[in-house]
Amino acid sequence: MHSSVMNLRYMLSRIARGQFMARVIIKLGGGLITDKTRYKTVLRDRIDAVSEVISMIIQMGHSVIVIHGAGSFGHIEAKKWDINDGLKTEIAEQQISAIDAIRRDMDELNSIVIQSLNDAGVRCESLPPRDWVNGVGARFSGDVSVFHRGPDSAVPVSFGDVVDVDGANQFGILSGDHLMVRIATELPDVILCAFLLGDADGLLSGPPNKKDSILINQWSHSDGFVGEHDASIDVTGGILLKAQCASQISTSAKHVWFIDGKVPSRMLEILSSGDTVGTRIVPG
Ligand code: IP8
């Protein structure tokens, strides 16, 4: 057996089942699970590594909720046809067919995530936002109590999506980060809310590709600036929007973290010791 898996099994064996039973909400960032620059390029190995750890978190007795981003299955076409800004009469026809295509592509990405979780022994139920959400941003209308499950139920899985919007806009993009805010602040007993990134150990002081960018170990809203990641690709906003969402969550969840999703065992470290390599988001 691979040594990192053995270490995980050892860590798991030291945590008695049910000892810290609570809710764990995990966002698989679009930049972790896809190559954001190439249309519909999925990074299945990375999803599988996260699924293995999710299976262990469930074995610990926690109830888990999974949200994933869109990456190159959503943002490229959404940007091309301005879906985020709602209906534009001059390109309405192209926008309508782009919405169909984006929703189909998101269903495809969602079924890959669910297949990976199933392969790791995790039963799932998909709750696509288009079926139960109206509006965008954290104040969308929609009942997030459907995510409230016990530890032995199927894991609810949802994702950023094109949703209906009342009024002239008619449609817009709901980010998975805004789903995270609503679920994490409205459901009880959230012990960990983890944002899994694809390009960094956590929030950095500058862009990830710059040598002098360093990891920020702890961040609160009042600290302000964080280095930009992916702003030119994401239609829903870059890392600062994510950080603002995490900051809102930190007022109600004990542990809110940005971590490197390529090392998902860091979630187990947080659950077992309260600390890991990453950025802990604290209220303020
Ligand atoms: O990647 C965006 O969701 P996010 C959803 O979680 C689409 O911000 C369809 C672009």
Side-chain angles (χ1 to χ4, degrees), residues 216-247:
I216 301 167
N217 297 112
Q218 185 165 300
W219 186 84
S220 75
H221 196 259
S222 54
D223 296 337
F225 179 79
V226 283
E228 201 43 86
H229 315 204
D230 291 331
S232 58
I233 300 171
D234 273 11
V235 293
T236 41
I239 198 79
L240 189 58
L241 169 102
K242 244 184 224 315
Q244 282 163 347
C245 289
S247 163

Side-chain angles (χ1 to χ4, degrees), residues 39-261:
Y39 178 59
K40 282 178 61 178
T41 310
V42 73
L43 301 173
R44 175 74 197 246
D45 288 356
R46 292 182 178 186
I47 303 175
D48 289 347
V50 175
S51 295
E52 284 296 327
V53 172
I54 289 175
S55 158
M56 291 178 191
I57 293 173
I58 292 167
Q59 284 176 52
M60 287 162 72
H62 296 302
S63 67
V64 172
I65 296 169
V66 173
I67 305 295
H68 65 81
S72 57
F73 285 64
H75 289 276
I76 295 174
E77 287 301 293
K79 192 176 191 108
K80 189 162 155 197
W81 298 107
D82 254 341
I83 305 301
N84 204 24
D85 293 332
L87 184 73
K88 291 198 165 139
T89 40
E90 19 2 309
I91 53 164
E93 233 170 84
Q94 292 94 320
Q95 285 187 312
I96 302 302
S97 52
I99 291 170
D100 279 349
I102 294 167
R103 285 181 171 159
R104 248 194 330 270
D105 292 349
M106 287 308 299
D107 285 343
E108 193 180 326
L109 179 60
N110 183 242
S111 48
I112 295 168
V113 170
I114 286 184
Q115 188 59 56
S116 168
L117 284 160
N118 288 165
D119 291 349
V122 177
R123 283 182 306 115
C124 304
E125 184 191 346
S126 181
L127 300 166
R130 75 195 71 141
D131 296 339
W132 58 278
V133 169
N134 186 296
V136 295
R139 296 220 283 263
F140 65 82
S141 342
D143 181 5
V144 297
S145 68
V146 289
F147 288 85
H148 196 169
R149 306 284 165 89
D152 294 321
S153 325
V155 167
V157 180
S158 194
F159 50 87
D161 200 6
V162 186
V163 295
D164 291 344
V165 172
D166 282 342
N169 272 17
Q170 295 195 26
F171 52 78
I173 303 272
L174 177 73
S175 172
D177 296 329
H178 288 130
L179 278 174
M180 294 286 285
V181 172
R182 287 288 295 281
I183 296 168
T185 56
E186 291 185 28
L187 264 53
D189 309 322
V190 179
I191 194 176
L192 169 63
C193 200
F195 289 82
L196 305 185
L197 308 178
D199 60 355
D201 273 329
L203 293 181
L204 304 180
S205 59
N209 52 2
K210 273 193 75 190
K211 273 205 176 67
D212 53 359
S213 298
I214 53 161
L215 176 66
I216 301 167
N217 297 112
Q218 185 165 300
W219 186 84
S220 75
H221 196 259
S222 54
D223 296 337
F225 179 79
V226 283
E228 201 43 86
H229 315 204
D230 291 331
S232 58
I233 300 171
D234 273 11
V235 293
T236 41
I239 198 79
L240 189 58
L241 169 102
K242 244 184 224 315
Q244 282 163 347
C245 289
S247 163
Q248 262 179 282
I249 296 170
S250 69
T251 57
S252 58
K254 185 167 163 84
H255 280 279
V256 183
W257 285 79
F258 281 70
I259 56 179
D260 183 353

